[in-house]
């Protein structure tokens, strides 16, 4: 909410010396979040005056239309002679009053004005547009054309109210009252201890039987509807400068007089209004829920299919407006520039249900200034005053006549009262305020308070967010100043710290960071088209997703089942920005829907939920295992004077998986695999043994070229992903000291010839088991393929076996026997034979 200080001063007599910064400090202390104070016109320097165009000469021979004008600026230029100015705008004519900036002036942005030769003429100043003066667009997209009655030579800085301060307030969802000058003025008056001139305190005629007919069929959705009629408006009447400037300062664009007046009153009082062209409304105005399949073209020109829960305004033809959100095009107020402008209007000032309006606005993705206010809470008692204020302004500015008829449809309701102990704010804050302070503060915000030790508080109509005693306590505390609350550091119990799972996740992150990976957290949302891009089968379990009812982005309406989409998008984004050597990782939750879908129940708020209630909620939530993933592209080792360097490849992805497994204490089984996005010849399947059962926990390797093309990734991009929770179950990360033996090691090398399709992991497992307890380590150091020497479809795997005993020096015979046993078992299981 943008609040001009000049407008605020109309309702609160602030000291003349108070600046916007001073008001900002006061409002922040009272609990309002004033983000900035914009200094309008602080870098503007005159002379800036009103001029009248005397002549216009069209200059020929240029790429764009150029006009050479003479403008009467009175005595503002010191001579009284016409000012010669070159201008490219086309929206003014001879006789028009315009804004002229003379040489020596400085416009916003430190733009100094001087006489200069251009297009073969000397221009002594500029004819200004709204954008050049920092006013924003007034809808003309050109030069400011002033009313004819404006005096020539008058100071335009004062006329256009170009110097002001505007407070930009981030209004929280519960403080809809502060989405108006009235609400902010009330808070300002309380902060300064000054009286408030409430703009909603007007003399309003009572309802009668002569008003425009209105029928409300849904009193729950609309509990108050006020209708007033003004006739005889001048179709040529335009919004005065002061009204246009106030709308521009609060961030709204002037449109036409009737629309500008309703917007002005909405910003002033906080009550959204709508004006209908009376000649276009047919019959009784109604309020009801939409029928299935009904359509409405809203003021933005979009045809919308209505939902049965949408609240609509109707006449005898059907919907003419989306209640509380946007009006319909079929009753739109005609602009004053049109040949036949609107002369008779029906003014609507209604109060709609906040939840209904919020759902409609989100359903149609149509957020308006009106819906923002209704969904945060509007003062229902202000509707008649807002309608009266609109009527008064239309009569004043457009010469209209208010009809005697006043329509008010009101659903019976009682004021909201709260019983609260007088010392309740003291207990909440830990500060003794006393009954007098509590009563005074509650009365300042508009409450009626009765009682002594037990207070009966009637909440004002403009504060629907005050629902219970704690809300009242918060009001007292914020007005007394949050900064006055005592600051006490909590004392945590000893012996508490990170859980085992948290420590493991941190260790995994540190290990990957130490290996050269950069952590890149991503949003947990995906679009289902990414599964096609990753090449997943149609029946792949990863395609079963949890869909969001109200997604932040329509293109990503589901929760992720893998970390790879987000990481690969981050890699693509960074590669596109010039960072080609990348190694990224992420640890995070994935979301797997349960076989049987359930609906979570409502938990109580007046007590702690029981263990059974929490378990019932957990039972319907999706499974959320934690995964870890890494992606690589470009160079893994940079080239330099030390060597050639090397590119990242599938083996680096496998090594990243080994690094993670080592931190969990799990023994990772690596073997050839084939899955989804990975290249079938360069994919490793990763498994662990847990509870005696082997479980696949992930894959690693180089991504398939089709996936790289679909996702726009660099060539030879590699990736790995593991289920970190299963690794934790399978591993034992208890620190173990390394075994140090004083006896020498015996090394034996073996080269085994096997079929090309036999995995190295199977051969190594057989060698390890056959060698027995004397085997200390085994390492594959060579893979050789040669059809002439080994035969077609055969390969040679060379291993280095290290044998050692903890209590003696091994003999050659013992080491050889262990080697022979290992080779024998490998031959039995995999068909391996010694080479050569």
């Amino acid at each position: 909410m943008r609040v001009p200080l000049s407008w605020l001063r109309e309702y609160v007599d602030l000291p003349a010396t108070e600046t916007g910064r001073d008001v900002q400090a006061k409002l922040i202390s009272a609990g309002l979040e004033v983000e900035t104070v914009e200094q309008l016109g602080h870098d503007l320097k005159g002379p800036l005056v009103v001029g009248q165009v005397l002549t216009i000469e069209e200059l020929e021979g240029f790429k764009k239309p150029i006009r050479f004008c003479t403008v009467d600026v009175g005595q503002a230029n010191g001579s009284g002679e016409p000012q010669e100015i070159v201008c490219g705008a086309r929206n003014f004519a001879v006789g028009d009053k315009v804004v002229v900036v003379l040489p020596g002036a400085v416009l916003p942005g430190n733009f100094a004005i001087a006489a200069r030769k251009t297009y073969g003429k000397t221009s002594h100043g500029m004819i200004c547009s709204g954008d050049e003066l920092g006013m924003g667009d007034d809808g003309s997209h050109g030069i400011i054309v002033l009313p004819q009655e404006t005096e020539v030579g008058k100071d335009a800085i004062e006329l256009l109210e170009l110097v002001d301060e505007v407070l930009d307030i981030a209004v929280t969802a519960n403080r809809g009252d502060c989405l108006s000058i009235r609400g902010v003025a009330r808070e300002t008056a309380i902060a300064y201890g000054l009286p408030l001139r409430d703009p909603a305190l007007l003399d309003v005629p009572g309802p009668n039987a002569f008003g425009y007919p209105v029928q409300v069929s849904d009193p729950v959705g609309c509990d108050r509807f006020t209708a007033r009629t003004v006739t005889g408006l001048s179709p040529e009447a335009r919004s005065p400068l002061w009204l246009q400037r106030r709308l521009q300062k609060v961030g709204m664009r002037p449109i036409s007089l009737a629309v500008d007046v309703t917007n002005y009153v909405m910003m002033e009082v906080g009550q959204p209004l709508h004006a209908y062209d009376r000649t276009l409304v047919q019959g009784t105005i109604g309020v009801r829920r939409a029928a299935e399949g009904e359509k409405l073209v809203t003021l933005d020109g979009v045809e919308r299919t209505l939902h049965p829960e949408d609240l609509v305004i109707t006449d005898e033809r059907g919907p003419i407006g989306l209640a509380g959100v946007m009006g319909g095009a079929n009753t739109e107020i005609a602009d004053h520039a049109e040949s036949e402008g609107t002369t008779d209007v029906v003014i609507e000032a209604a109060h709609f249900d906040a939840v209904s309006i919020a759902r409609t606005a989100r359903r149609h993705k149509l957020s308006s200034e009106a819906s923002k206010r209704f969904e945060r809470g509007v003062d229902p008692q202000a509707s008649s005053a807002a309608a009266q204020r609109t009527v008064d302004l239309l009569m004043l500015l457009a010469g209209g006549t208010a009809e005697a008829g006043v329509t008010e449809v009101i659903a019976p309701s009682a004021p909201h009262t709260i019983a609260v102990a007088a010392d309740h704010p003291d207990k909440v804050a830990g500060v003794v305020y006393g009954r007098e302070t509590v009563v005074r503060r509650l009365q300042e915000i508009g409450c009626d308070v009765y009682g002594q030790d037990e207070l009966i508080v009637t909440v004002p109509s403009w504060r629907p967010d005050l629902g219970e005693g704690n809300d009242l306590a918060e009001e007292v505390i914020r007005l007394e100043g949050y900064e006055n609350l005592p600051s006490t550091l909590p004392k945590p119990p000893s012996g508490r710290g990170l859980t085992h799972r948290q420590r493991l996740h941190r260790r995994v992150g540190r290990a990957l960071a130490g290996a050269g990976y950069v952590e890149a957290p991503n949003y947990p949302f995906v679009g289902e088209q990414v599964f096609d891009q990753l090449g997943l089968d149609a029946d792949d379990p990863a395609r079963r997703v949890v869909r969001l009812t109200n997604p932040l982005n329509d293109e990503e309406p589901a929760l992720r089942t893998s970390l790879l989409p987000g990481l690969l998008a981050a890699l693509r984004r960074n590669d596109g920005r010039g960072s080609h050597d990348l190694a990224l990782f992420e640890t995070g939750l994935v979301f797997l829907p349960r076989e049987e879908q359930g609906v979570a129940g409502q938990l109580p708020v007046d007590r702690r939920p029981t263990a059974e209630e929490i378990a019932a909620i957990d039972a319907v939530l999706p499974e959320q295992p934690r995964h870890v993933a890494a992606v690589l592209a470009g160079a893994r080792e940079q080239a330099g004077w030390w060597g050639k360097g090397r590119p990242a490849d599938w083996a680096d992805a496998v090594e990243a998986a080994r690094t993670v497994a080592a931190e969990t204490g799990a023994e990772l089984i690596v073997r050839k695999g084939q899955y989804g996005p990975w290249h079938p010849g360069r994919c490793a399947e990763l498994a662990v043994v847990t509870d005696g059962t082997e479980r696949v926990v992930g894959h690693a390797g180089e991504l398939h070229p089709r996936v790289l093309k679909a996702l726009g990734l660099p060539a030879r991009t590699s990736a790995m992903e593991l289920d970190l929770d299963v690794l934790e179950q399978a591993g034992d990360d208890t620190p173990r000291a390394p075994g140090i033996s004083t006896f020498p090691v015996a090394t034996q090398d073996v080269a085994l010839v096997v079929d090309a399709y036999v995995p190295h992991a199977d051969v190594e497992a057989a060698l390890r088991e056959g060698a027995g307890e004397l085997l200390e380590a085994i390492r594959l150091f060579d893979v050789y393929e040669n059809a002439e020497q080994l035969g077609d479809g055969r390969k040679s795997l060379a291993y280095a076996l290290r044998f050692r005993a903890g209590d003696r020096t091994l003999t050659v015979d013992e080491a050889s026997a262990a080697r022979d046993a290992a080779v024998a078992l490998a031959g039995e299981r995999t068909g391996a034979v010694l080479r050569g």
Side-chain angles (χ1 to χ4, degrees):
M1 176 67 192
R2 291 171 55 85
V3 181
L5 189 60
S6 58
W7 199 350
L8 192 62
R9 288 182 182 275
E10 284 197 8
Y11 309 119
V12 184
D13 289 325
L14 294 172
T17 56
E18 286 294 286
T19 65
R21 298 288 186 191
D22 298 328
V23 177
Q24 177 189 30
K26 286 281 191 179
L27 292 179
I28 289 176
S29 179
L32 293 186
E33 186 178 348
V34 185
E35 293 184 328
T36 60
V37 178
E38 185 178 351
Q39 307 287 333
L40 299 182
H42 72 283
D43 53 353
L44 177 64
K45 176 184 175 183
L48 189 72
V49 299
V50 175
Q52 185 170 26
V53 180
L54 301 178
T55 65
I56 297 178
E57 177 187 351
E58 301 288 346
L59 301 182
E60 305 293 339
F62 299 102
K63 293 182 179 180
K64 62 179 182 178
I66 298 297
R67 309 167 103 187
F68 180 66
C69 311
T70 59
V71 184
D72 178 14
V73 294
Q75 298 299 317
N77 57 4
S79 65
E81 296 295 321
Q83 202 78 3
E84 296 180 338
I85 299 174
V86 174
C87 183
R90 314 290 298 175
N91 68 312
F92 65 96
V94 172
D96 282 345
K97 301 287 181 69
V98 294
V99 178
V100 179
V101 56
L102 301 177
V106 179
L107 294 183
N110 198 29
F111 181 38
I113 302 300
R116 66 188 184 97
K117 190 170 184 178
T118 179
Y119 297 103
K121 301 285 186 179
T122 300
S123 182
H124 299 272
M126 283 175 54
I127 301 176
C128 296
S129 68
D131 287 334
E132 290 166 339
L133 298 179
M135 297 168 54
D137 181 30
D138 62 355
S140 66
H141 303 289
I143 294 304
I144 300 171
V145 178
L146 301 172
Q148 278 298 316
E149 61 270 17
T150 310
E151 178 186 350
V152 172
K154 183 178 179 63
D155 183 4
I157 295 179
E158 179 182 353
L159 175 70
L160 299 176
E161 302 178 11
L162 296 178
V163 179
D164 202 349
E165 294 180 278
V166 179
L167 285 71
D168 194 350
I169 304 175
V171 180
T172 55
N174 66 319
R175 291 302 305 272
D177 61 304
C178 288
L179 286 174
S180 66
I181 303 296
R182 178 196 185 201
V184 177
R186 181 180 291 107
E187 292 294 320
T188 305
I190 295 172
Y192 279 91
L194 296 171
L196 169 71
R197 287 189 292 274
D198 191 341
L201 291 180
L202 300 175
D203 291 331
V204 179
N208 53 53
F210 309 107
Y212 198 94
V214 173
Q215 180 178 0
V216 177
S217 302
D218 191 338
V220 175
C222 176
D223 58 4
R224 183 179 291 262
F225 195 108
T226 300
R228 300 289 299 274
T229 304
V230 180
T231 59
L233 299 177
S234 170
E236 292 82 20
R238 298 179 56 186
S239 301
L241 285 174
W242 64 265
L243 192 149
Q244 293 186 45
R245 288 296 295 132
R246 286 194 169 178
L247 289 178
Q248 288 174 332
K249 288 178 184 179
V250 298
M252 302 190 77
R253 182 173 66 87
I255 298 174
S256 63
L257 178 60
V259 176
D260 292 348
V261 167
T262 58
N263 286 336
Y264 178 86
V265 175
M266 176 180 67
M267 302 306 297
E268 180 183 57
V269 180
Q271 167 68 51
L273 302 108
H274 190 73
Y276 301 94
D277 187 327
R278 184 178 180 179
T279 61
L280 300 179
V281 179
Q282 299 180 13
T284 300
I285 291 178
V287 183
R288 60 168 172 82
R289 300 289 173 174
E292 185 72 42
E294 275 190 311
K295 296 182 182 297
L296 170 68
V297 179
T298 46
L299 288 174
D300 56 0
V302 177
E303 183 180 69
R304 303 181 186 276
T305 301
L306 303 179
H307 189 275
E309 291 184 6
D310 290 337
L311 201 63
V312 292
I313 310 298
T314 65
D315 63 6
E316 63 184 23
R317 297 167 296 175
I320 60 173
L322 204 53
V325 180
M326 185 174 286
N330 53 357
T331 57
E332 182 178 7
I333 296 292
D335 187 73
H336 60 77
E338 299 184 15
S339 58
E340 294 184 5
T342 299
T343 59
D344 300 343
V345 299
V346 177
I347 300 163
E348 166 208 310
H351 184 261
F352 301 109
D353 176 60
V355 174
S356 176
I357 300 305
R359 289 177 176 171
T360 295
R362 284 157 179 74
R363 188 180 298 118
H364 294 281
K365 297 177 176 57
L366 185 61
S367 179
S368 64
E369 292 292 338
S371 68
K372 290 177 185 177
R373 285 161 175 78
F374 278 123
E375 64 190 45
R376 287 166 173 80
V378 169
D379 181 5
Q381 303 291 338
S383 59
S384 56
Q388 182 63 46
R389 175 72 164 143
T390 305
V391 168
D392 293 343
L393 286 173
L394 288 176
M395 290 193 298
L396 174 68
L397 302 176
T401 302
E403 289 192 353
V406 177
T407 302
E408 280 196 10
V409 179
I410 303 174
S413 62
H416 180 53
T417 60
I418 302 172
V420 62
D423 61 350
H424 182 63
D426 302 12
K427 294 177 180 179
V428 173
V431 176
V432 178
Y433 294 121
R435 180 188 178 280
E436 290 185 3
T437 299
V438 170
V439 171
R440 175 172 56 84
R441 289 302 190 184
L442 293 179
Q443 289 175 338
E444 284 177 346
I445 64 173
C447 295
D448 291 331
V449 185
Y450 303 94
Q452 293 298 319
D453 296 338
E454 184 80 10
L455 302 179
I456 304 299
V457 181
T458 301
V459 174
S461 57
W462 56 82
R463 290 298 303 274
D465 59 305
L466 302 181
E468 59 171 350
N470 287 331
D471 297 329
L472 301 178
E474 182 182 1
E475 291 299 298
V476 174
I477 294 167
R478 75 173 180 88
L479 294 177
E480 285 295 304
Y482 291 122
E483 68 275 11
N484 296 323
L485 294 176
S487 181
T488 305
L489 291 175
K491 296 180 180 179
S494 60
R496 300 287 179 87
L498 298 177
T499 65
H500 175 271
R501 189 183 191 214
Q502 290 170 329
R503 289 195 298 270
L504 172 62
H505 296 163
R506 292 195 179 189
R507 286 205 316 273
V508 167
R510 285 194 294 266
L512 289 173
Y517 292 81
V518 176
E519 187 170 14
N522 294 284
Y523 289 114
F525 311 118
V526 295
E528 295 180 66
Q529 72 279 358
V530 77
F531 300 131
D532 296 326
Q533 296 169 333
L534 290 175
L536 299 185
D537 294 337
D539 58 349
D540 194 300
R543 285 182 175 271
R544 293 187 64 242
V545 295
V546 177
R547 300 177 187 277
L548 299 172
T549 302
N550 188 23
L552 297 178
N553 183 351
D554 288 341
E555 296 181 358
E556 296 179 334
L559 292 172
R560 65 189 178 191
T561 56
S562 167
L563 300 183
L564 289 183
L567 268 182
L568 293 174
L571 185 142
R572 179 181 64 246
R573 186 164 51 250
N574 283 275
D575 180 74
R577 294 174 179 174
S579 298
H580 303 303
D581 303 324
L582 296 161
L584 309 177
F585 83 94
E586 179 182 8
T587 61
L589 301 179
V590 298
F591 305 86
L592 310 177
R594 299 180 184 273
E595 292 297 332
E596 295 184 3
Q597 299 293 329
V599 178
Q602 294 289 335
L603 291 178
V605 296
D606 57 342
R607 58 174 174 81
R608 186 187 187 282
T610 64
E612 291 77 13
E613 290 171 331
I614 296 175
I617 293 291
D618 290 338
V620 298
L621 293 178
E623 296 180 14
Q624 301 175 48
R626 182 171 291 271
H627 282 201
V628 57
V631 295
L632 307 97
R636 184 62 175 145
E637 295 178 4
Q638 295 290 339
W641 58 265
W642 53 84
K644 295 182 179 179
R646 69 174 183 85
D649 61 16
W650 64 269
D652 293 299
V654 175
E655 186 58 29
R658 294 186 188 275
T659 300
V660 173
E663 288 298 322
T664 66
E667 184 175 346
L668 194 65
I669 301 170
V670 181
R671 57 174 174 250
K672 182 179 179 181
Q674 183 174 346
Y675 176 69
W678 280 278
H679 192 297
R682 297 168 189 157
C683 174
E685 184 178 80
L686 310 173
V688 294
V689 176
T690 173
D691 297 329
T693 303
E694 185 176 291
R695 293 181 60 181
V696 176
V697 293
H699 294 82
E702 183 180 313
L703 297 180
H704 199 288
R706 286 197 299 268
V707 173
L708 301 182
K709 182 179 180 180
L711 293 175
L713 298 171
R716 310 303 290 269
T717 297
S718 300
M720 79 87 184
E721 183 168 13
L722 291 170
D723 188 325
L724 195 52
D725 286 352
V726 176
L727 279 176
E728 181 183 3
Q729 297 170 17
D732 180 6
D733 58 354
T734 304
R736 290 183 174 84
I740 300 175
S741 176
T742 58
F743 298 98
V745 66
T747 303
Q748 297 273 358
D749 292 346
V750 295
L752 303 177
V753 178
V754 297
D755 290 332
Y757 63 82
V758 175
H760 140 69
D762 292 351
V763 178
E764 179 183 312
L767 289 173
R768 189 182 298 276
E769 183 179 340
E773 297 180 354
L774 294 180
L775 182 67
E776 182 180 80
I778 181 172
R779 179 174 62 88
L780 175 70
F781 66 85
D782 184 51
V783 178
Y784 178 69
E785 296 182 9
N786 187 311
E788 293 182 3
Q789 297 184 18
L790 303 177
D792 291 335
R794 304 280 282 174
K795 65 182 177 181
S796 172
L797 305 176
Y799 293 90
L801 309 178
R802 289 170 55 91
F803 299 99
R804 194 193 317 251
D807 58 349
R808 68 190 187 280
T809 299
L810 291 177
T811 65
V812 174
D813 291 340
E814 286 178 308
S816 297
R819 180 202 62 188
D820 294 343
V823 172
L825 188 58
E828 178 184 336
R829 291 188 176 176
T830 66
V833 296
L834 280 173
R835 181 181 169 190

